[in-house]
Amino acid sequence: MTLGREGVWPRRFGWAATLRWKAAFFTVVMCCFLATVLGVLVHVLVGRQTEDQARDAALVELDSAVEAYVDGEPLGRDAGVDPSELPPALREMARHGERGTQLGRHAGHPVMWAVAPADGTALAVRQDYTQRAAVLQGLDRAIIGSAAVAIFLTLLVGLYAASGVTRRLHRTAQVARRISGGDLDARVDDPRGLRPGYARDEPAAVAAALDAMAASLQAKLHSEQRFTADVAHELRTPLTGLHAAAELLPPGRPTEMVQERVRAMRRLTEDLLEISRLDAEVERAELDVHPLGPLAERAVRATGLAAEVRVVRDARVETDRRRLERVLGNLVGNAHKHGSPPVTVTVDGPVITVRDHGDGYPEELLAHGPQRFRSRPGSGTKAGHGLGLTIALGQARVLGTTLRFSNAPDGGAVAELTTDA
């Protein structure tokens, strides 16, 4: 099998990379190693003991055969002088006046041979070894069978034990993904981590650290949200008075500049209040069925900006008209502010696309989404606060729709809003 450049092996056999199957593989390898070592030791020890018993029995018969040979009595059926199937090594030992034993075969069956010198020849007896060999084979089968059963049971126990750990780690990973997705209320709440009187294992320690991190992030975020809402709320009253006072100033360029700055500050304050409500998740959509084509045209007209509305395929969707117009208005306003004309709004079924022909969205926005107060100017001349796209994304979430940002291959920023038809 050939491995690909981008890690074809991990994608195709991703299950083998999990902790559960790594533990199972390690367990099986260790069990097989131990079973092999123990099996070989038992086989060798029992085999030696069985051979020693057969040698002792053969030597006893050899002594009886030697006495019968010396007394001139007939030899038994398992004894003979210089038999043809006697192993050559034993025959040579007998010629040199030595006694010896050796496993061999006779008529196709295993036997234990024992020899002694007799008038320059070999006096040999044979002890049947068939039953003992069968016992050894049965022992080997029993060792293999018991080892297989032991490995299987150990594997089951190991998988069960590893599953407990991996389940807790998977839950921790799921909670971490929920937190990264914006659900700061998510917690692992591992039982072992919630009991101060009990020792924590590694998954419990990881879960406790994740919960503590989520709680800290949530507290800091709520503090920032409260600060933003409080500042915006406190600015509304003086800005309202400032707006009224600016309207009383005598006509002239200085008065226009003051009124323009006051209007900009009021818009910024209202945007901050809207973002604080979206962050607090207190906004609720008032759903009704509307045709997307006329709704998009009305939203573009409300902006007072030039944009072409193309209705490729109209659709009736259940949505909050005011919030959807707010999303489209912010997208069209952002296209004019940071992009270049022409700006087109295309309705194709449940999908609304807003596109300009400028330099496109910055890479940071495409990677991480809109960030408040982190906007940078595009091809336009005005730098924004990043609040328009942030509000559009937040209102899209309230509507239950999907808002995606991308850049067209031939240039220009593309915002695609997908509603539920």
Side-chain angles (χ1 to χ4, degrees):
M1 180 178 295
T2 303
L3 301 183
R5 288 177 297 177
E6 292 295 330
V8 175
W9 177 277
R11 290 199 299 270
R12 185 175 299 177
F13 300 98
W15 57 269
T18 60
L19 179 61
R20 180 182 182 185
W21 288 107
K22 285 181 179 179
F25 177 76
F26 177 77
T27 301
V28 169
V29 170
M30 291 304 300
C31 286
C32 291
F33 175 74
L34 293 176
T36 301
V37 172
L38 293 177
V40 170
L41 289 176
V42 171
H43 176 83
V44 170
L45 292 176
V46 174
R48 288 180 178 178
Q49 184 179 8
T50 302
E51 289 184 16
D52 291 341
Q53 293 174 352
R55 285 192 175 92
D56 293 340
L59 289 175
V60 171
E61 289 191 12
L62 179 63
D63 291 338
S64 300
V66 169
E67 293 180 359
Y69 181 79
V70 171
D71 295 338
E73 298 177 0
L75 302 176
R77 59 185 298 270
D78 293 331
V81 177
D82 203 14
S84 59
E85 294 185 349
L86 184 66
L90 291 182
R91 194 187 307 275
E92 190 67 22
M93 290 179 65
R95 289 177 180 175
H96 289 80
E98 299 177 359
R99 295 161 61 96
T101 59
Q102 183 181 339
L103 278 174
R105 303 192 69 81
H106 174 72
H109 299 287
V111 295
M112 177 64 75
W113 290 97
V115 297
D119 299 331
T121 60
L123 176 61
V125 298
R126 59 181 179 272
Q127 180 75 28
D128 184 56
Y129 200 77
T130 303
Q131 186 176 359
R132 290 185 171 90
V135 171
L136 281 176
Q137 292 177 356
L139 177 64
D140 292 340
R141 287 193 296 269
I143 291 174
I144 295 174
S146 60
V149 172
I151 291 172
F152 178 73
L153 294 177
T154 304
L155 178 61
L156 291 181
V157 174
L159 284 175
Y160 177 77
S163 296
V165 176
T166 55
R167 279 196 302 269
R168 294 163 62 195
L169 292 177
H170 281 310
R171 172 168 171 75
T172 302
Q174 291 173 356
V175 172
R177 285 191 289 268
R178 289 172 56 190
I179 292 173
S180 64
D183 184 8
L184 295 182
D185 291 324
R187 297 291 185 274
V188 181
D189 291 333
D190 193 299
R192 301 190 184 188
L194 298 176
R195 298 176 182 176
Y198 291 85
R200 291 182 179 179
D201 56 2
E202 285 78 4
V206 172
L210 180 64
D211 289 348
M213 180 193 70
S216 176
L217 289 176
Q218 187 177 40
K220 292 180 179 179
L221 181 60
H222 286 172
S223 177
E224 292 179 0
Q225 291 173 353
R226 285 194 300 269
F227 175 77
T228 302
D230 292 342
V231 169
H233 186 270
E234 292 298 327
L235 285 176
R236 291 185 73 179
T237 301
L239 283 176
T240 302
L242 187 60
H243 176 73
E247 295 295 329
L248 299 177
L249 293 175
R253 181 56 184 164
T255 299
E256 293 177 0
M257 293 178 62
V258 171
Q259 291 175 348
E260 181 182 350
R261 297 297 184 269
V262 170
R263 285 193 295 268
M265 291 185 66
R266 291 190 67 183
R267 285 194 299 269
L268 176 60
T269 302
E270 294 298 329
D271 287 346
L272 289 175
L273 285 172
E274 185 173 359
I275 287 178
S276 66
R277 291 193 298 270
L278 291 172
D279 288 340
E281 298 181 354
V282 296
E283 297 286 296
R284 296 293 181 268
E286 299 178 1
L287 300 179
D288 199 358
V289 178
H290 301 277
L292 274 185
L295 193 152
E297 293 175 352
R298 185 166 50 247
V300 172
R301 285 197 304 270
T303 63
L305 301 172
E308 180 186 1
V309 179
R310 301 174 182 173
V311 181
V312 178
R313 180 168 52 96
D314 202 355
R316 296 180 64 83
V317 297
E318 187 178 18
T319 186
D320 187 324
R321 180 181 61 83
R322 180 182 64 84
R323 296 183 188 279
L324 188 59
E325 289 180 354
R326 173 69 160 154
V327 174
L328 294 178
N330 282 14
L331 294 178
V332 172
N334 185 81
H336 274 277
K337 187 173 184 179
H338 299 291
S340 298
V343 176
T344 58
V345 179
T346 305
V347 179
D348 188 0
V351 180
I352 304 177
T353 303
V354 179
R355 178 187 174 181
D356 62 53
H357 290 75
D359 295 334
Y361 292 118
E363 292 298 329
E364 183 179 4
L365 186 146
L366 296 179
H368 305 289
Q371 303 290 324
R372 61 197 73 174
F373 299 108
R374 295 182 64 180
S375 176
R376 66 176 177 84
S379 60
T381 59
K382 297 181 180 179
H385 304 289
L387 301 183
L389 293 184
T390 302
I391 292 174
L393 188 61
Q395 292 290 4
R397 291 197 185 100
V398 175
L399 292 173
T401 59
T402 303
L403 180 58
R404 297 185 179 90
F405 302 99
S406 61
N407 289 329
D410 55 344
V414 179
E416 184 179 87
L417 181 68
T418 303
T419 62
D420 295 329

